[in-house]
Every structure is written in structure tokens, then in C-alpha cells.
Amino acid sequence: MSALRVRRFEPADTDRIRELHETAMRDVGAYVADVPDEDLETVTETYLESGGEFLVGERKGRIVAMGAFRPVDGTDFVAQVLPDLPGSTVELTRMRVDPDYQRRGYGRRIATELERRARERGATQIVLDTRPTQTAARGLYETLGYEEAACERIEGFGEPFELVFYRKPLLDGE
């Protein structure tokens, strides 16, 4: 088995990350066609130029995993659900692994590298959301030390759905 090579997103990756996002979300029954994904079209501006990060994992030259973080501000939905977040909080997002490459540690590798980079940039807490039905993702986050912080019902994108919110301190010793 060849190793996963983790690197920073490049603009030429845009088509593949959109494809990976849709494939991975459809696989777990969580793809919502009407939810806008503008951030995947503007990764450089949304993540890289805003103090965040976007990583891809390649195997044999093909992107099979991805993930990102960005600083949370008061207008973000997660900040409305978890209003006590410190200003040094980042949101882990867009964690996807191609279904053909899951259960190989690739999601863990991307998440831990994102946490490391967030810490280096001064983040003290990391938050995320996922669907209750995404049991593999929830299991990964829980084994990485994330704790469930809230559950909210979301309306407005066709069928209502629930999101589970997790948080994790990034300070040493917490």
C-alpha cells in the first residue's frame, strides 16, 4: 500500500475536491443538493487567505482525502449554536475521504495535521459539526478527543436535518 501524501490545496485541485465532497457525502446519505458550496470554489480566499488551511491527501497522485479549518467569527452558524467560543477558535470542516479509501487512517491523518497547524497559528479551540447518521466520522472525532457540545435541527434546505456539534481544546494539558 502506498503512503498518503498530505499537502496544501492548489487551485488545480478544485474540480477534484468538489467531486470528492459530493462522492463522500452521497456515500453516507448526507449530500444536500441545494446547500451552496461556494467555499469549494473559493478555497484560496475562504481558507488560505483568511488564516485557515485546506489540506489534501494524495495516494498515487490522486486526491483521496481532504479537510480544512478556518477561524470562527460571530456570524458563523457554529458561533450561534456555541456562543461561548473564545476568539481563538477555528472550525474543522470539509473532512472527506473517498469511500474506496476509508478505514485506512487517512481522515485521522488529515485531522491531526490540521489540528497541529491550527495550534501553530494560535488556535486554542477547534469545533466542528456533522450529521448524527455519520457514525464513522463521529467515531473518528470522538477518538481524537472531541466532545459533543450541542445538537440542532436545521431547516431551510429542503428536508430538515440535524447537526451534532463537537468541540476540543487545543491547548496542551487540556
Side-chain angles (χ1 to χ4, degrees), residues 62-82:
R62 178 174 171 78
I63 295 172
V64 298
M66 67 185 202
F69 72 79
R70 61 182 168 196
V72 172
D73 69 35
T75 64
D76 293 328
F77 185 67
V78 68
Q80 296 168 28
V81 174
L82 303 173

Side-chain angles (χ1 to χ4, degrees), residues 2-170:
S2 70
L4 186 73
R5 182 172 86 92
V6 176
R7 65 169 174 80
R8 191 174 222 204
F9 166 88
E10 298 169 358
D13 300 331
T14 301
D15 288 343
R16 176 60 186 143
I17 65 166
R18 279 196 332 260
E19 176 187 314
L20 175 56
H21 165 69
E22 184 173 339
T23 299
M25 295 301 281
R26 283 188 188 280
D27 186 63
V28 295
Y31 184 73
V32 181
D34 297 335
V35 173
D37 294 318
E38 290 101 3
D39 66 306
L40 294 179
E41 301 296 328
T42 59
V43 169
T44 299
E45 299 81 3
T46 303
Y47 296 97
L48 307 182
E49 292 176 355
S50 71
E53 184 64 87
F54 198 109
L55 300 178
V56 298
E58 291 180 319
R59 185 167 180 261
K60 296 182 179 178
R62 178 174 171 78
I63 295 172
V64 298
M66 67 185 202
F69 72 79
R70 61 182 168 196
V72 172
D73 69 35
T75 64
D76 293 328
F77 185 67
V78 68
Q80 296 168 28
V81 174
L82 303 173
D84 63 334
L85 296 175
S88 55
T89 302
V90 296
E91 178 181 16
L92 184 70
T93 188
R94 299 302 187 185
M95 288 290 300
R96 309 284 183 265
V97 176
D98 186 306
D100 293 337
Y101 294 88
Q102 291 177 357
R103 308 214 46 90
R104 298 179 189 195
Y106 295 169
R108 176 178 302 275
R109 176 102 183 274
I110 296 286
T112 56
E113 180 61 18
L114 287 166
E115 288 177 8
R116 185 186 70 74
R117 292 181 187 209
R119 250 187 231 97
E120 283 180 351
R121 295 186 193 166
T124 60
Q125 189 167 168
I126 191 164
V127 295
L128 63 89
D129 65 70
T130 191
R131 292 273 198 77
T133 56
Q134 291 179 264
T135 55
R138 292 182 70 187
L140 169 66
Y141 299 135
E142 290 168 8
T143 64
L144 289 172
Y146 289 80
E147 294 183 359
E148 187 174 328
C151 187
E152 291 284 324
R153 184 175 172 87
I154 309 302
E155 309 274 346
F157 294 108
E159 294 278 323
F161 59 93
E162 286 190 347
L163 286 177
V164 179
F165 293 82
Y166 284 86
R167 67 191 323 160
K168 177 182 177 179
L170 289 178

